[in-house]
């Protein structure tokens, strides 16, 4: 019998300082908190390695936060602990997010040595004024230099994270970012529209009227432009916000979109295993206290029923440009998607938001910029 295969996500909840738009769980880096976190994380790895038994790990993603805040030695120890205590498959994809201001050549060499085979660089934009506006601690030139350093260290799989729809950004400015990003020849690019969360400093500035958000039509134009631009430069648009050279799609992220199991470690990390979803305590102290007492810091555990799982299979699977396979849906649930969501699928096809191609149901080009409207139909 084939062993269960999962992905592992590790959340590192520290950054040098908080960006104005950020709603991720991240604390300002401080050595003592980081040491406490690493001890707790080690205990969490231990507890889970005992529970998972034969489960094989096919991808690891160390994200945050800013994992590289921890320094090369601590990150190497963490990666070694994961390999020593979980059954990591040969050839597993191992990604670490790096930020230009906290990673150096020696650290990247150490990561490569520990089996990291994919780096994700937070470039965001090639415009230094916008980087300052966002509260990022690096320049565009430093992000570019980071990619060159990664190449020299031996990495052949690099992702660049980009953001569009930043207040003050216009289409020509976005095109310059795309041009500079492509010139670095990354294997993968992620491009997300800036989300403005009301509890962030940026959200407060927008609510107070001191910052004017990007207009919806302008943001949509930037989204459509990234699709054309990257397609013209040889990148396949394989997920709403993700683009890759052939064979370089993110295997770890694919697992989320395809409804496969994953385990999240670290504060606020989410998990989906054995039909249950939960998240870890987001508060760093609560997370550490639980693990000091040898308890998993699990909160909000929900056992998904079949209706929930079918809805998720639709709205996560439709994020992929290839869409969902109706045969795979039927094999997984013993029911046909076309029957379960009969009225909805037909309505969306009639509105030219969904299309059927052979076995697959997928979003139309018209639906891509308004994908959330489509997904709401399945929730
Ligand atoms: S670097 Fe990323 S996680 Fe850290 S504050 Fe900025 S946006 Fe948030």
């Amino acid at each position: 019998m084939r062993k269960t295969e999962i992905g592992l996500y590790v959340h590192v909840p520290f950054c040098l300082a908080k960006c104005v738009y950020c709603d991720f769980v991240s604390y300002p880096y401080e050595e003592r908190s980081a040491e406490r976190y690493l001890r707790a994380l080690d205990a969490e790895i231990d507890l889970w390695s005992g529970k998972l038994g034969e489960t094989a790990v096919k991808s690891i993603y160390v994200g945050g936060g800013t994992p590289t805040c921890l320094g090369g030695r601590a990150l190497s120890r963490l990666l070694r602990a994961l390999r020593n205590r979980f059954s990591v498959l040969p050839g597993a994809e191992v990604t670490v997010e790096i930020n230009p201001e906290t990673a150096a050549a020696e650290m990247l060499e150490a990561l490569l040595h520990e089996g990291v085979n994919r780096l994700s660089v937070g470039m965001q934009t090639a415009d230094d004024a916008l980087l300052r506006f966002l509260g990022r601690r690096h320049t565009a030139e430093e992000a570019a230099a980071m990619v060159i350093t990664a190449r020299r260290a031996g990495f052949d799989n690099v992702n660049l994270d980009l953001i569009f729809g930043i207040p003050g950004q216009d289409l020509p400015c976005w095109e310059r970012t795309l041009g500079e990003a492509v010139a670095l020849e990354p294997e993968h690019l992620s491009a997300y529209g800036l989300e403005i969360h009301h509890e962030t400093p940026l959200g407060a500035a927008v609510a107070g009227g001191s910052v004017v958000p990007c207009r919806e039509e302008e943001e949509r134009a930037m989204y459509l432009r990234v699709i054309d631009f990257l397609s013209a430069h040889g990148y396949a648009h394989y997920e709403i916000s993700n683009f890759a050279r052939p064979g370089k799609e993110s295997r770890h992220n694919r697992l989320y979109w395809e409804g496969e199991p994953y385990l999240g470690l670290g504060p606020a990390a989410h998990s989906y295993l054995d039909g249950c979803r939960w998240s870890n305590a987001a508060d760093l102290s609560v997370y550490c206290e639980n693990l000091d007492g040898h308890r998993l810091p699990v909160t909000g555990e929900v056992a998904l029923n079949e209706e929930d799982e079918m809805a998720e299979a639709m709205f996560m699977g439709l994020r992929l440009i290839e869409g969902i396979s109706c045969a795979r849906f039927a094999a997984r649930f013993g029911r046909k998607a076309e029957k379960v969501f009969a009225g909805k699928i037909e309505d969306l096809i009639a509105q030219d938001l969904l299309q059927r191609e052979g076995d697959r149901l997928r979003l139309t080009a018209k639906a891509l910029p308004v994908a959330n409207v489509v997904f709401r139909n399945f929730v």
Side-chain angles (χ1 to χ4, degrees):
M1 203 177 95
R2 196 165 156 233
K3 285 197 282 189
T4 311
E5 293 180 1
I6 65 166
L8 267 188
Y9 172 77
V10 181
H11 188 73
V12 179
F14 300 105
C15 291
L16 288 189
K18 194 92 172 166
C19 302
V20 296
Y21 59 100
C22 178
D23 80 328
F24 294 121
V25 173
S26 99
Y27 299 84
Y29 177 79
E30 203 250 307
E31 205 175 322
R32 279 182 51 189
S33 312
E35 279 168 11
R36 186 157 187 237
Y37 156 78
L38 285 166
R39 273 198 307 277
L41 182 63
D42 203 54
E44 191 181 19
I45 292 171
D46 243 359
L47 288 172
W48 274 111
S49 69
K51 279 174 168 284
L52 287 183
E54 287 298 288
T55 304
V57 171
K58 64 175 178 179
S59 64
I60 296 175
Y61 193 105
V62 183
T66 305
T68 41
C69 260
L70 295 175
R73 206 175 293 165
L75 268 179
S76 296
R77 264 204 311 273
L78 162 59
L79 289 158
R80 222 168 299 148
L82 295 174
R83 282 194 187 273
N84 288 343
R85 284 180 270 170
F86 293 112
S87 168
V88 181
L89 291 172
E93 180 187 86
V94 184
T95 306
V96 174
E97 284 181 356
I98 61 171
N99 273 7
E101 69 276 24
T102 51
E106 309 80 67
M107 183 191 288
L108 299 191
E109 279 157 21
L111 295 181
L112 193 73
H113 183 73
E114 294 302 336
V116 174
N117 47 30
R118 186 171 183 272
L119 293 179
S120 182
V121 181
M123 178 181 181
Q124 317 309 355
T125 161
D127 184 303
D128 285 339
L130 291 180
L131 286 170
R132 278 194 300 279
F133 170 81
L134 291 173
R136 306 284 305 183
R137 295 293 192 277
H138 59 88
T139 62
E141 200 180 324
E142 284 164 345
M146 194 77 266
V147 176
I148 293 163
T149 307
R151 297 290 188 215
R152 284 205 190 113
F155 285 96
D156 62 2
N157 197 358
V158 175
N159 167 60
L160 288 182
D161 272 341
L162 303 176
I163 297 179
F164 60 89
I166 305 168
Q169 187 182 38
D170 57 15
L171 194 55
C173 169
W174 175 230
E175 285 170 341
R176 276 195 301 281
T177 287
L178 292 174
E180 293 197 23
V182 162
L184 294 167
E185 302 185 348
E187 282 70 27
H188 190 283
L189 288 128
S190 298
Y192 287 91
L194 178 71
E195 287 183 26
I196 299 180
H197 302 279
H198 71 270
E199 71 284 8
T200 61
L202 179 60
V206 168
S210 59
V211 169
V212 180
C214 185
R215 283 182 303 119
E216 215 173 284
E217 313 84 77
E218 211 161 13
E219 188 168 331
R220 183 177 298 198
M222 290 186 210
Y223 177 59
L224 296 176
R225 189 71 190 109
V226 64
I227 297 173
D228 287 349
F229 192 97
L230 294 182
S231 304
H233 286 81
Y235 291 90
H237 183 203
Y238 74 99
E239 193 267 352
I240 292 177
S241 305
N242 286 279
F243 304 82
R245 293 273 193 223
K248 297 293 186 181
E249 298 176 357
S250 164
R251 282 191 261 148
H252 182 83
N253 286 343
R254 218 175 213 288
L255 167 147
Y256 300 136
W257 302 317
E258 293 190 331
E260 293 188 41
Y262 54 89
L263 175 66
L265 305 169
H270 291 262
S271 300
Y272 170 56
L273 270 184
D274 298 329
C276 288
R277 281 196 185 285
W278 67 88
S279 58
N280 276 354
D283 185 284
L284 183 58
S285 298
V286 175
Y287 169 81
C288 292
E289 279 158 19
N290 270 286
L291 286 155
D292 289 348
H294 308 287
R295 293 182 303 277
L296 287 173
V298 168
T299 62
E301 188 169 7
V302 180
L304 299 183
N305 61 33
E306 196 169 67
E307 306 299 312
D308 297 331
E309 300 228 48
M310 287 191 293
E312 279 205 24
M314 293 302 286
F315 65 75
M316 291 305 284
L318 285 172
R319 293 194 64 89
L320 289 165
I321 302 304
E322 68 189 26
I324 67 146
S325 153
C326 293
R328 188 167 177 254
F329 185 100
R332 183 173 166 198
F333 298 108
R335 293 163 73 186
K336 290 186 169 179
E338 307 89 311
K339 287 247 163 67
V340 178
F341 301 104
K344 287 172 184 169
I345 289 176
E346 280 146 22
D347 280 357
L348 291 166
I349 290 176
Q351 292 172 62
D352 189 27
L353 294 171
L354 263 193
Q355 59 189 338
R356 173 104 208 206
E357 261 180 32
D359 170 49
R360 307 201 79 92
L361 269 175
R362 57 194 198 95
L363 296 181
T364 59
K366 179 183 165 190
L368 286 173
V370 290
N372 285 338
V373 175
V374 176
F375 300 156
R376 262 180 241 138
N377 285 274
F378 299 104
V379 179

